[in-house]
Each structure stands twice: as structure tokens, then as C-alpha cells.
């Protein structure tokens, strides 16, 4: 099962990705969490200890590795380099494992087809395709905010996309853009998750606007909780520190598994 999490900047993609990853891992599933944000945050949200985080670096920034595999230095254009470098050893070698969640930091990867023809882009695209072909039990992809980087490669392989929104028209507008892009490229399974919901008026707003503005069904909502920021400050996983979010994460994880796999996880 491969799930991509998208949405406008700051809505809570990383928070939800961390919750789902830990829920599935605690249910005994093998989880690979992929941070595809150029400024990675998923390790923090998962509560990875500092010494493990220190050993992680986005693949996009590993210049020597990119040069070794593609035959050209990142940042160069016009020279010769391989378009399909070897990547099969990368997920195990450069990831970290904590509480049964394996985490790989990729850095930003442009799948929209507008990216540069350069060694780093060849490397990331090949790695991304490799990840999506792997037979991981559960793959959770925490995507970069916005829509520009989404492309056919995403939807060819992911089973579903979760779009996170806040109770704001702006984030619903981004959700609508994502939905229209997903439609163009044939991704069928697309769900909304509301986050930072403070009261019933905000919950009602999201449930009314889900189909109307964003054009997709609402799976569930997560409450606004100051403890989420506190967890971040203390270096704790939201999963451990904020019971209300953990419970919501459990509900969402179960629904997603039922919808995608047609069975209870
Ligand atoms: N339910 C919540 N209640 C309160 N604060 C929250 C909640 N969810 C997320 N936040 C806070 O909102 C901020 C953004 O959350 P998060 O990093 O998960 O969003 P994101 O969509 O991944 O952001 P980015 O676009 O920068 O990757 C963080 O400071 C986080 O602590
Ligand atoms: Mg994020």
C-alpha cells in the first residue's frame, strides 16, 4: 500500500504522515516513510532521537553519491551522465530505523516533467520510481507543499493520495488544484483530511466544502491541539504526546487500509 500525503504548506502533512507511519508500524506492518521535502521534518515528527537524525541526509544533497552513480557532478548540465543510475541499495543503506518505522530522506523531487535534465534529477527520479516499485508493505510519502512537483510518476504507482486541509478556503483551493491535476493524470483515489479543527463550526465548514470546493470525500478530521507544537519543542513524537491526534491517526489508518486493501489491517 502506497500513500502520498499532499496539501498546502503548513497544513499538517508531516504530522499526519508521522501518525500514519507509527500506527501501521505498531500494528506490525513494515513501514517505509519517505520525506520528499527539501527541508526534512518527518524525523522530528516521528520522534527520531538526535543521534539517528544526525546520520540522515537527503539523498538530493549527497553530491558524492550522485556523482558516483550517475557519472557526473550535481549542478553540471550538458555533459554525459546515466539516466538510470543504480539505486536499489539506497533505501536500506541511507535510511534510519526507529520504533519499526524506516525513514528515508529524499529531498525534493520534481515529477512534473519540468525539472532540469541533470544528474541529481536523474538520480531522484530513478530512486523514486524504484521506491514505488518496491514491495514495501506500507509506503508513506510525505510530499513537498503545493502542486507543481506532482506528475505522472506519482500517480502511476501510488494507491491513494491524502490531501490535508485546514479550515481555510486557501487550503481547500490548493486541494482543488491537486484534485484537478490528479484527474488529468488518472489518479482515482483521493481523500481529504481536515486538520487543526478547533470547533464544530470549523468541522462543519470542512465537511460542507470537501465535495463542493475540493471535489473529494472527507475521511476524517484532526483537532487543533497546542500539544502538537509542544511535542515538537520537546522532541517528542506527536503519536506519543497527543492522544487525540493518535486516536484520529488510528481511525484514518484503518479507513485507508480498508479502502485500499479491502480488508482490516
Ligand atoms: N492538529 C494540530 N494542532 C496544532 N498544531 C498543529 C496541528 N497539526 C500541525 N500543527 C502545527 O502546524 C505546523 C505545520 O505542521 P506540519 O509540519 O505537519 O505541516 P506540513 O504541511 O508538513 O508543513 P510543510 O508544508 O512546511 O511541510 C507545525 O508547527 C505543527 O506543529
Ligand atoms: Mg512537511
Amino acid at each position: 500500500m502506497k500513500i502520498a500525503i499532499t496539501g498546502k504548506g503548513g497544513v499538517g502533512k508531516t504530522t499526519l504522515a508521522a501518525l500514519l507511519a507509527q500506527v501501521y508500524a505498531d500494528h506490525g506492518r513494515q513501514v517505509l516513510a519517505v520525506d520528499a521535502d527539501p527541508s526534512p521534518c518527518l524525523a522530528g515528527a516521528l520522534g527520531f532521537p538526535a543521534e539517528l537524525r544526525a546520520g540522515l541526509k537527503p539523498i538530493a544533497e549527497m553530491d558524492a553519491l550522485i556523482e558516483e552513480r550517475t557519472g557526473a557532478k550535481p549542478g553540471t548540465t550538458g555533459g554525459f551522465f546515466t539516466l538510470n543510475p543504480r539505486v536499489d541499495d539506497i533505501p536500506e543503506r541511507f535510511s534510519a530505523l526507529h520504533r519499526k518505522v524506516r525513514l528515508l530522506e529524499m529531498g525534493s523531487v520534481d515529477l512534473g516533467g519540468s525539472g532540469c535534465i541533470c544528474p541529481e534529477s536523474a538520480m531522484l527520479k530513478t530512486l523514486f520510481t524504484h521506491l514505488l516499485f518496491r514491495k514495501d508493505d506500507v509506503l508513506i510519502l510525505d510530499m513537498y507543499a503545493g502542486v507543481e512537483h506532482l506528475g505522472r510518476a506519482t500517480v502511476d504507482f501510488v494507491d491513494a493520495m491524502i490531501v490535508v486541509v485546514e479550515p481555510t478556503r486557501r487550503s481547500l483551493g490548493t486541494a482543488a488544484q491537486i484534485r484537478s491535476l490528479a484527474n488529468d493524470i488518472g489518479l482515482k483515489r483521493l481523500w481529504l483530511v481536515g486538520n487543526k479543527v478547533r470547533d464544530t463550526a470549523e468541522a462543519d465548514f470542512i465537511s460542507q466544502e470537501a465535495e463542493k470546493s475540493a471535489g473529494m470525500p472527507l475521511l476524517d478530521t484532526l483537532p487543533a491541539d497546542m500539544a502538537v507544537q509542544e511535542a515538537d519543542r520537546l522532541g517528542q513524537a506527536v503519536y506519543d504526546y497527543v492522544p487525540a491526534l493518535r486516536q484520529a491517526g488510528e481511525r484514518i489508518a484503518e479507513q485507508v487500509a480498508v479502502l485500499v486493501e479491502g480488508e482490516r489491517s
Side-chain angles (χ1 to χ4, degrees):
M1 174 166 75
K2 294 179 165 58
I3 314 288
I5 302 184
T6 59
K8 190 179 168 301
V11 290
K13 298 177 291 297
T14 300
T15 303
L16 181 64
L19 285 169
L20 294 182
Q22 198 62 61
V23 171
Y24 286 126
D26 279 8
H27 278 80
R29 304 195 59 163
Q30 254 202 320
V31 178
L32 176 65
V34 178
D35 193 337
D37 195 308
S39 36
C41 297
L42 190 52
L46 281 162
F48 270 52
E51 58 277 15
L52 272 182
R53 288 164 66 178
L56 280 168
K57 187 176 172 186
I59 304 297
E61 291 169 21
M62 294 189 178
D63 289 1
L65 178 74
I66 295 172
E67 184 176 4
E68 176 203 310
R69 299 300 169 91
T70 62
K73 268 195 185 16
T76 58
T77 48
F80 288 106
F81 57 88
T82 174
L83 288 172
N84 56 345
R86 180 177 170 220
V87 292
D88 60 307
D89 59 329
I90 288 179
E92 265 69 38
R93 258 182 77 187
F94 297 102
S95 60
L97 185 69
H98 178 61
R99 289 170 63 186
K100 299 190 187 137
V101 175
R102 182 169 289 287
L103 173 66
L104 179 70
E105 292 184 350
M106 267 186 84
S108 65
V109 41
D110 188 339
L111 300 165
S114 58
C116 70
I117 302 170
C118 50
E120 54 274 39
S121 166
M123 177 88 174
L124 288 177
K125 279 186 183 164
T126 309
L127 175 59
F128 191 76
T129 307
H130 170 74
L131 288 178
L132 295 177
F133 268 121
R134 268 167 60 114
K135 295 269 173 274
D136 286 299
D137 184 16
V138 177
L139 184 140
I140 310 261
L141 190 60
D142 178 13
M143 311 266 315
Y144 187 25
V147 293
E148 300 75 20
H149 56 289
L150 297 173
R152 182 163 302 280
T154 335
V155 290
D156 277 349
F157 306 107
V158 295
D159 296 304
M161 195 176 269
I162 295 180
V163 186
V164 183
V165 290
E166 298 169 335
T168 63
R169 292 207 182 270
R170 279 196 204 145
S171 66
L172 283 154
T174 303
Q177 277 180 293
I178 292 171
R179 134 111 190 179
S180 128
L181 208 123
N183 269 7
D184 290 349
I185 45 188
L187 180 71
K188 301 270 162 14
R189 288 202 191 99
L190 214 61
W191 301 300
L192 214 62
V193 165
N195 186 27
K196 306 189 191 179
V197 173
R198 287 176 299 182
D199 51 33
T200 50
E202 290 191 338
D204 291 347
F205 173 73
I206 293 183
S207 62
Q208 279 157 19
E209 297 297 323
E211 289 286 0
K212 209 164 99 193
S213 300
M216 58 185 103
L218 177 67
L219 267 190
D220 213 323
T221 54
L222 303 151
D225 196 323
M226 288 311 283
V228 176
Q229 260 117 303
E230 226 169 273
D232 176 272
R233 182 165 50 82
L234 300 170
Q236 299 266 334
V238 169
Y239 180 83
D240 301 319
Y241 199 76
V242 194
L245 263 75
R246 177 186 182 149
Q247 283 153 21
E250 274 163 356
R251 291 197 306 267
I252 294 167
E254 186 177 355
Q255 284 188 73
V256 168
V258 170
L259 288 165
V260 171
E261 299 172 334
E263 64 192 31
R264 306 221 150 234
S265 61

